[in-house]
Amino acid sequence: MIGPALFALALVASWGNSATHVVLSDRPLYAFTTNVMTMPIRTQRLAWAGVASVGFLAALWLWAASGWPRLGAAAVIAALLAIRQVETRQWPGQMVVRLGKYVPAASCLTGWLIVVTLTRTLGWDEPRSVAAGWEAAAGVMAALYPLAALSKLKLTGWRWMRAEHHALMIAERAYTGPKWVRRARSAGSRSRAVCAFVGTFGLLSEFACAAYIFPDARIAVTATVLALHAGIGLFLGYFEPEWLLVMIAIAAITT
Amino acid sequence: MDLPLIAAGTALVYAGISWLVGDRFPFSRYAMYADLEGRREGAVLVVRAGGREVGFAEVIAWHGIDPAAIEPFSVPCSLHWVVFETQAWIRDHTAPSADGLTVPLEVGYRILRVPEVGAMSERFEWRAAGVGRLRGGSGA
């Protein structure tokens, strides 16, 4: 039960992230400061997002707890697509995508939905079909990080791992965050060992995530990704719980 | 069909479609920070008020600074969201005149260069200057 609950939480995190950015799009959310939160909230937009959120939660209930899980999954995916469209239109160009705002939970749920629908059509019974759906979700998750690694190889090649690249990336972020974080980033950006490790581990661990297709490897891959995200949080300054929640959830369901 | 084969098959199909279609929900190549080729410098936006570095949201009245002028232009900037939010903040907090605004403002970039690890250098490129007022009343 913990696995599906965590997956549902990942979907809520995905929705909540986009909905928050829609409601608070009139202020600098990424450069978050307490001053920003004292600005008055546009009540009409808040009400609109509240109603939409009730609809999203109803769709989530359909998927997780009703007799129409496929209909619910389709509704959840449609809702996430819709809120993301609204969010994307409030930013110039493809800023939302370039900021690394991806939707791993929706991607995995799409895999789940397609395979459950296919296997039910082929006459599989419900429990086996749902198990196949979660394997499909695991398959999608197994593809995400290797795709990121392949993109790095395509655009930069193996030189992506060069310590100098990561020294610069970390140094750029050494002017924001709490004092101890700034110090850690400043020290990290000056250390060849740290920067070389970040580059090598960053690329190779993403490729290694392909092993998530194997049920026996899922816990180890999840632990690796936890380490990866801890490093990203420390040195690059962002943390996206959706990714980890999805990975832990699917591992809990399928192992 | 064995369940592990379903995972492998789905991974291949998802990866293949993502590679073909790119960033189209729910597919993506997840290419954030993938393009580091030829990146020798990085631009970090800096706002100075009265000679002191401040967060852009600390300045609640701006005058004389064109948001379009503070793009990083040819210098790579991996923190472009800061630039975008600063531009939006300036647009939303532009004062119609300089009357009563006494704090000198400068907006530009700290340009970092890392020829090799441990040998970072920095220089400043100022893009725009004006006057403003800080949160709490300084400058009025």
Side-chain angles (χ1 to χ4, degrees), chain A residues 28-31 35 77 81 84 91-92 95 97-100 102-103 106-107 110 132 135-136 139-140 143-144 147-148 150-152 154-156 159-160 162-165 168-169 171-173 175 189-192 213 218 236 238 243, chain B residues 1 3-4 6-8 10-11 14-15 18-19 23 25-44 56-58 76 78-81 84-85 89 92 110 112-118 120 122 135:
Chain A
L29 259 189
Y30 286 98
N35 293 332
I77 294 163
L81 170 63
R84 189 172 166 83
W91 294 73
M95 181 81 79
V97 174
R98 287 195 289 118
L99 280 170
Y102 302 117
V103 284
S107 301
T110 303
E135 282 302 314
V140 171
L144 304 190
L147 274 165
L150 281 174
S151 292
K152 292 174 175 72
K154 179 174 185 273
L155 294 171
T156 309
R159 292 178 302 281
W160 189 90
R162 284 184 69 227
E164 283 73 14
H165 289 319
L168 183 56
M169 293 260 286
E172 287 168 351
R173 288 154 181 82
Y175 302 93
S189 70
R190 288 195 302 268
S191 166
R192 172 162 287 280
I213 60 169
R218 282 175 196 159
L236 299 186
Y238 65 91
W243 286 82
Chain B
M1 182 184 276
L3 291 182
I6 291 176
T10 311
Y14 181 84
S18 289
W19 203 254
D23 286 310
F25 181 100
F27 302 99
S28 176
R29 291 180 195 156
Y30 304 92
M32 189 176 67
Y33 299 140
D35 188 3
L36 301 182
E37 184 64 29
R39 206 163 172 273
R40 301 286 176 268
E41 292 185 328
V44 181
F56 67 83
E58 291 302 307
S78 71
L79 298 164
H80 204 265
W81 55 269
F84 170 77
E85 289 197 331
W89 185 264
D92 292 345
R110 173 184 275 115
L112 303 176
R113 188 174 177 82
V114 183
E116 60 181 280
V117 179
M120 188 180 77
E122 69 173 34
R135 193 177 297 277

